[in-house]
Amino acid sequence: MWPRLIRLKRGVLLWRRFGLLQLTDILVNEILHGADGTDIKCGVIGEIGCSWPMTESEQKVLQATAEAQTQLGCPVIIHPGRNSDSPFHIIRILQEAGADISKTVMSHLDRTILERDKLLEFAKLGSYLEYDLFGMELLNYAFCPVVDMPCDIERINWVRFLTDEGYGDNLLMAHDIHTKNRLTKYGGHGFSHILTNIVPKMKQRGIPQSAIDKILVENPKRWLTFK
Ligand SMILES: [Zn+2]
């Protein structure tokens, strides 16, 4: 029985390896030569979507992302599953596949890790920490009702907490505008919300201009620069 089982297992592994190489080639090609048959080149890999529990195909895409990132030194951004263990699991897969975690953004932390100790534990892993749901003031988070979705002032408090804990070089902020009602044309805050409304509130809450400049200018610039 053993030899047959081993052969079968090798066959599966070979098939998986082939799929991984194909995925990696697609990602590398879209950065070096252009996406979707055009000559428009991608500047980042992402947002790589993950669910919880993670599926086998998602894990393979993460491994291909790590391989492409290793070859090109490009920035990567990840959409974690809706569970506080998901960002840890994702970073572990990327690390094992050889990715540079310092070039990786973990997005949507505002709805994912809501405990201080766990957030600090995650921050130690070295990725960028993104609070990117500014402007989303929801009583019910339809995708995950057990999460108490924070409001903007709570997001500011999380940013301040991480700044005070020494993670100012890892922070990023964004709006994640993905529906019409978020645009000013349809009554939303629009793309100027952070600059117009959030930054003044951050200053009121004692976050210094130097820390704000890191989040809005220096950190994005460093992340987006190919190594
Ligand atoms: Zn996302």
Side-chain angles (χ1 to χ4, degrees), residues 47 79 107-108 176:
E47 188 190 20
H79 168 115
S107 64
H108 309 328
D176 199 38

Side-chain angles (χ1 to χ4, degrees), residues 24-42:
T24 305
D25 283 349
I26 291 169
L27 295 172
V28 169
N29 191 56
E30 291 195 344
I31 287 179
L32 292 183
H33 304 296
D36 296 333
T38 73
D39 60 359
I40 301 169
K41 298 166 187 168
C42 300

Side-chain angles (χ1 to χ4, degrees), residues 42-141:
C42 300
V44 305
I45 299 177
E47 188 190 20
I48 301 294
C50 299
S51 41
W52 186 264
M54 182 179 286
T55 67
E56 192 178 347
S57 59
E58 288 169 345
Q59 180 164 336
K60 193 189 294 181
V61 170
L62 280 176
Q63 289 164 333
T65 298
E67 180 59 35
Q69 199 268 341
T70 303
Q71 289 182 31
L72 302 173
C74 60
V76 167
I77 180 166
I78 308 291
H79 168 115
R82 295 181 181 90
N83 184 290
S84 60
D85 291 334
S86 174
F88 293 86
H89 184 229
I90 290 165
I91 294 292
R92 189 161 59 246
I93 290 169
L94 290 173
Q95 278 174 329
E96 287 173 0
D100 181 352
I101 302 306
S102 74
K103 295 295 290 175
T104 302
V105 172
M106 191 59 66
S107 64
H108 309 328
L109 281 180
D110 19 5
R111 60 87 163 136
T112 311
I113 302 181
L114 300 164
E115 297 163 23
R116 285 187 168 209
D117 289 347
K118 195 158 190 175
L119 183 61
L120 291 178
E121 194 185 336
F122 181 72
K124 285 180 194 158
L125 300 180
S127 76
Y128 285 99
L129 311 165
E130 187 168 89
Y131 285 77
D132 51 20
L133 300 173
F134 279 96
M136 289 188 75
E137 307 263 7
L138 303 172
L139 179 60
N140 293 305
Y141 180 40

